[in-house]
């Protein structure tokens, strides 16, 4: 167990808040093109499916490079590393805002993805080291709440700014936010020397030896492929099927985010009682929401109902899969999280890529069916593997055991 390096209780929690803000700007930057896909494609003179490569390349970089970069920087002070990551994000948003062509945008997003992937691997454990050990789980939960804040506020706010001024202004504002968060991290986060040298070989050896972790990663890949394959094309779907205006799309994105926040809150209680059950119920809700979108999404009321349920489901499944990863590898927290980051972000990228191919060749409705199919596949894998768990190394703790997050070690 690492010693928690807090200089004072107040500064520790301010540092946790700064890391939560970091998650907010990283996640909103990654998913911002979802709400801006149509105006982006028109402005840069590319198809909607091609414009979705902004999400794809970002996710590819975040997913494929994370384990290597975390290992290569394993002796770098974590405050310094986070500051560098935020500097890359800030500069990347600035370049995106002024980029004259789509190839430059894609190249910039690729570099930003590297920074995002490393943040996802180190951010939670950094927060846990800033507070007393008994508060580590609470610190982790606060940081993860940045996901809900991003979906409720960040992404819809981006669509509002775009509607009022243009998509370039949106990225310019996010560059300013990134700089503000960078300064906050520099002031509030104390020095966090890296004290756990984990090689790339050790990280990749985890799922070979840890069967439960391997199953969880497979479930994560399928769930994320389905969810983000469909979610990336929410705006084009609603514009095509429901003739939705940009203001209505802003409303449904806010509705989705609120649903996600509520789902996270509910799952915060249910995952401790029945982790697998929470994921199963959340997956069923997600598949149902997508089917409702296909059935009644051509009307505004139906679209709102479907997006509320979709948001609730995502909040439940998202928190469940994080806890499933931690439960499967409680003694190798960050190594497991780097693998989760690799699987999650690569799947975001592939989901956007496959969704773009479906949208451009078969229409945006086919992307929703893609989401249904992959969500169902993740549920089937969960049901199949949950009946074959056996005691041993890496087995998830039973209900009532201490949360594994308190065993986190910095990479």
């Amino acid at each position: 167990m690492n010693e928690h390096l807090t200089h004072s209780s107040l500064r520790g929690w301010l540092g946790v808040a700064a890391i939560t803000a970091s998650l907010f700007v990283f996640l909103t930057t990654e998913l911002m093109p979802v709400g801006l896909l149509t105006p982006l494609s028109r402005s840069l003179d590319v198809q909607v499916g091609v414009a979705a490569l902004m999400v794809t390349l970002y996710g590819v970089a975040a997913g494929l490079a994370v384990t290597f970069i975390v290992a290569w920087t394993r002796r770098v002070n974590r405050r310094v590393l986070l500051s560098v990551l935020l500097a890359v994000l800030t500069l990347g948003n600035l370049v995106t805002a002024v980029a004259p062509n789509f190839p430059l945008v894609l190249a910039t997003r690729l570099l930003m993805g590297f920074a995002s992937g490393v943040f996802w691997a180190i951010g939670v454990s950094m927060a846990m080291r800033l507070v007393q050990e008994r508060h580590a789980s609470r610190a982790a939960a606060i940081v993860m709440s940045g996901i809900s804040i991003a979906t409720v506020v960040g992404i819809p706010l981006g669509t509002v700014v775009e509607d009022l001024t243009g998509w370039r202004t949106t990225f310019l504002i996010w560059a300013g936010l990134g700089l503000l968060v960078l300064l906050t991290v520099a002031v509030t986060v104390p020095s966090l020397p890296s004290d756990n040298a984990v090689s790339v070989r050790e990280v990749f050896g985890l799922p070979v030896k840890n069967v439960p972790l391997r199953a969880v990663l497979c479930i994560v890949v399928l769930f994320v492929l389905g969810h983000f394959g469909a979610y990336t094309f929410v705006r084009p779907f609603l514009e095509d099927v429901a003739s939705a205006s940009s203001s209505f799309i802003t409303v449904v994105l806010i509705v989705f985010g609120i649903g996600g926040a509520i789902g996270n809150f509910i799952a915060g209680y249910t995952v401790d009682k029945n982790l697998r059950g929470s994921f199963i119920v959340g997956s069923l809700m997600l598949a149902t929401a997508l089917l409702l979108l296909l059935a009644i999404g051509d009307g505004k009321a139906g679209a709102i109902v479907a997006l509320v349920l979709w948001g609730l489901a995502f909040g439940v499944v998202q928190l469940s899969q994080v806890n499933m990863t931690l439960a499967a590898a409680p003694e190798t927290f960050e190594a497991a999280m780097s693998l989760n980051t690799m699987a999650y972000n690569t799947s975001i990228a592939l989901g956007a890529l496959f969704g773009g191919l479906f949208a451009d060749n078969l229409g945006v409705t086919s992307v929703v069916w893609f989401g249904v199919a992959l969500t169902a596949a993740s549920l089937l894998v969960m049901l199949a593997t949950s009946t074959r768990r056996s005691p041993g190394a890496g087995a998830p703790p039973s209900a009532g055991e201490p949360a594994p997050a308190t065993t986190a070690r910095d990479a």
Side-chain angles (χ1 to χ4, degrees), residues 9 15 81 212 225 335 385:
S9 179
L81 181 57
L225 277 174
T385 57

Side-chain angles (χ1 to χ4, degrees), residues 338-349:
S338 69
L339 289 170
N340 179 288
T341 301
M342 181 177 68
Y344 200 102
N345 284 279
T346 303
S347 298
I348 289 177

Side-chain angles (χ1 to χ4, degrees), residues 19 29 48 72 102 127 147 274 301 317 353 367 411:
I19 295 172
T29 294
V48 169
W72 294 335
F102 190 63
I147 296 174
N274 192 332
V317 176
L353 175 62
V367 182

Side-chain angles (χ1 to χ4, degrees), residues 196-209:
N196 186 349
V198 178
S199 69
V200 174
R201 179 179 297 180
E202 290 176 281
V203 174
F204 281 110
L206 265 181
V208 176
K209 298 179 291 185

Side-chain angles (χ1 to χ4, degrees), residues 243-335:
S243 300
S245 63
S246 59
S247 59
F248 177 75
I249 290 168
T250 300
V251 169
V252 296
L253 290 176
I254 292 173
V255 163
F256 176 90
I258 293 173
I262 296 172
N264 263 317
F265 179 79
I266 294 171
Y269 291 94
T270 63
V271 294
D272 289 334
K273 294 179 170 57
N274 192 332
L275 180 53
R276 296 190 190 98
S278 297
F279 183 87
I280 291 169
V281 171
S283 297
L284 288 171
M285 290 168 56
L286 202 157
T288 301
L290 293 176
L291 291 172
L292 281 175
L293 189 63
L294 290 166
I296 60 176
D298 56 345
K300 292 184 177 180
I304 290 175
V305 169
L307 266 294
V308 167
L309 183 60
W310 191 352
L312 280 169
F314 177 70
V316 172
V317 176
Q318 170 67 10
L319 191 59
S320 297
Q321 67 87 15
V322 170
N323 279 272
M324 286 159 55
T325 303
L326 299 181
E331 301 301 324
T332 50
F333 174 76
E334 274 219 13

